[in-house]
Amino acid sequence: MGAGGRMTATDGKQEGKESPVRRAPYTKPPFTLSQIKKAIPPHCFQRSLVQSFSYVVYDLILVSLFYYIASNYFPLLSYPLPYLAWPVYWIFQGCVLTGVWVIAHECGHHAFSDYQWVDDTVGLTLHSALLVPYFSWKYSHRRHHSNTGSLERDEVFVPKTKSKTSWFAKYLNNPPGRALTLLVTLTLGWPLYLTFNVSGRPYDRFACHFDPHGPIYSDRERIQIYISDSGIFTAIYVLYRVAMAKGIAWLVCIYGVPLLIVNGFLVLITYLQHTHPALPHYDSSEWDWLRGALATADRDYGVLNKVFHNITDTHVAHHLFSTMPHYHAVEATKAIKPILGEYYQFDGTPFYKAMWREAKECLYVEPDEGSPAKGVFWYRNKI
């Protein structure tokens, strides 16, 4: 039985059927990283500057088109059409801008081109426009990839053990409580993580992605944190000038609400990739890099897989080979699945259902009683 007992878990063959969770293997796999890499066609590791930029151009054309339609034609609509048109704009623009965020994320992994300065320039520009401190996130996210699945050293979405669960958690363990928790997580989770390290790895002092001298960063990284902060201040100044010229309400409608959707999807995507009753977490007695990298799940977002440049359904391959460009990740995923076997985790549950299920089933982690693997932790839901 998986943590939390029975749940709906679909793999394409059992769509909609109720079945017990089959836990992912937690023992050391019978294959190595080099064996996995050999199964992938060599061209999948090749980065093309032209191809990478084509995705940037495509996304920005869509962003500009949606902006043009909203700013030029929505004011001409008669009541009640604007109340229908704006939500459509927000959803479409938010989804495409999430794809832009993903491209900047690729730059942070040096998966955009063979030139580090190009990757950093593109990443800094795109992320700053979305109020993300590029270098700050780049370094903390790199540590996440280096320590995935480790209860002591992972950087984000680190689950708590039962003894460290908040005192008020039991009062939120019900449908209204879960709805409130998800609402706060999806709207405020990203800025709270950047500013206060909420849901991140605990440090011995205050940790903030905007603090160049914070504990997250080493001395050699601090100058680039200043550059990230400069990018954010520049973006905020531009937004201030736009608000003065166009009005705050206009800025909120054109930019603010789509940015909320971007932040919400970013948190949701990351949450579902690393939170599932079938996934193990490890303490220092059991953790190693390969098992940690495999302790993540691919998800299916339907048509949004393409809009999000397949960060959703190729996340396992991404954790194994983070410098691989996204446009080869689908092919690479198909190639590694026979090697990974039961170590490959995929859940085809619609993301909106999976979000609710995981909020219900995955409250904290604990090792199994009587298990010889004391350093392997599984999700539970009984408080």
Side-chain angles (χ1 to χ4, degrees):
M1 293 290 289
R6 298 178 65 85
M7 57 173 265
T8 300
T10 61
D11 60 6
K13 296 179 180 179
Q14 297 177 323
E15 188 74 29
K17 292 184 179 180
E18 193 82 5
S19 62
V21 173
R22 185 173 66 182
R23 285 176 171 179
Y26 63 85
T27 55
K28 290 188 177 181
F31 47 78
T32 64
L33 185 65
S34 61
Q35 289 173 322
I36 302 172
K37 187 174 182 178
K38 288 178 181 178
I40 301 174
H43 71 267
C44 289
F45 296 97
Q46 296 175 1
R47 297 164 292 202
S48 166
L49 188 62
V50 173
Q51 191 168 0
S52 293
F53 263 115
S54 72
Y55 288 95
V56 177
V57 172
Y58 179 79
D59 281 354
L60 293 183
I61 287 175
L62 288 179
V63 169
S64 301
L65 177 63
F66 296 151
Y67 165 80
Y68 178 82
I69 293 172
S71 59
N72 287 277
Y73 293 103
F74 285 12
L76 305 178
L77 298 175
S78 58
Y79 176 87
L81 293 179
Y83 293 96
L84 302 175
W86 278 111
V88 172
Y89 165 80
W90 293 333
I91 293 170
F92 276 64
Q93 193 73 295
C95 288
V96 174
L97 287 173
T98 302
V100 174
W101 200 105
V102 172
I103 292 175
H105 157 267
E106 290 232 315
C107 293
H109 282 292
H110 195 22
F112 187 83
S113 75
D114 292 332
Y115 310 98
Q116 186 67 65
W117 70 270
V118 172
D119 290 31
D120 287 341
T121 301
V122 174
L124 178 64
T125 302
L126 296 180
H127 262 174
S128 296
L130 296 172
L131 300 184
V132 178
Y134 170 73
F135 287 109
S136 307
W137 169 86
K138 172 183 174 179
Y139 290 126
S140 67
H141 188 67
R142 179 181 295 174
R143 292 185 180 92
H144 160 63
H145 272 256
S146 298
N147 299 284
T148 307
S150 168
L151 290 174
E152 288 97 348
R153 297 187 304 275
D154 203 348
E155 281 287 339
V156 65
F157 278 118
V158 183
K160 293 180 173 62
T161 58
K162 187 175 184 178
S163 62
K164 295 182 179 180
T165 302
S166 302
W167 63 269
F168 54 82
K170 61 182 179 181
Y171 300 107
L172 298 175
N173 191 23
N174 51 64
R178 283 190 285 275
L180 177 62
T181 300
L182 286 171
L183 177 63
V184 172
T185 300
L186 295 180
T187 55
L188 300 179
W190 178 239
L192 287 175
Y193 170 65
L194 292 179
T195 308
F196 301 106
N197 199 39
V198 173
S199 84
R201 167 188 171 181
Y203 287 93
D204 57 2
R205 59 190 177 92
F206 178 70
C208 170
H209 278 72
F210 301 102
D211 179 8
H213 298 279
I216 302 176
Y217 308 110
S218 65
D219 289 339
R220 65 181 180 82
E221 295 166 346
R222 303 197 193 286
I223 185 62
Q224 291 180 305
I225 311 308
Y226 279 110
I227 295 173
S228 288
D229 290 349
S230 298
I232 296 298
F233 288 136
T234 300
I236 291 174
Y237 177 73
V238 171
L239 292 173
Y240 166 76
R241 299 293 297 181
V242 171
M244 292 299 99
K246 295 284 191 176
I248 294 178
W250 186 90
L251 181 63
V252 168
C253 288
I254 285 290
Y255 175 84
V257 179
L259 184 65
L260 279 177
I261 292 175
V262 172
N263 293 347
F265 267 125
L266 166 63
V267 171
L268 177 62
I269 290 168
T270 309
Y271 174 70
L272 292 182
Q273 286 166 341
H274 298 282
T275 308
H276 193 290
L279 295 178
H281 285 74
Y282 306 94
D283 69 12
S284 56
S285 69
E286 285 282 349
W287 183 88
D288 62 66
W289 184 86
L290 182 55
R291 281 192 287 173
L294 294 171
T296 183
D298 285 351
R299 301 280 190 163
D300 186 7
Y301 284 64
V303 68
L304 291 178
N305 289 333
K306 291 296 183 184
V307 178
F308 297 160
H309 303 303
N310 296 104
I311 196 175
T312 45
D313 59 339
T314 63
H315 192 66
V316 175
H318 171 66
H319 261 274
L320 293 170
F321 307 103
S322 60
T323 60
M324 179 188 298
H326 69 85
Y327 39 83
H328 295 316
V330 172
E331 182 179 358
T333 296
K334 293 178 180 178
I336 65 176
K337 285 164 74 172
I339 302 294
L340 299 184
E342 61 181 350
Y343 283 83
Y344 173 76
Q345 301 302 309
F346 172 81
D347 191 334
T349 305
F351 68 88
Y352 50 89
K353 292 184 178 180
M355 172 182 66
W356 183 261
R357 183 191 68 198
E358 265 57 293
K360 178 181 178 182
E361 299 288 339
C362 303
L363 300 185
Y364 61 91
V365 293
E366 287 284 281
D368 286 339
E369 292 185 11
S371 172
K374 297 296 185 181
V376 181
F377 290 67
W378 303 95
Y379 279 107
R380 314 288 191 194
N381 70 347
K382 302 298 182 184
I383 295 182

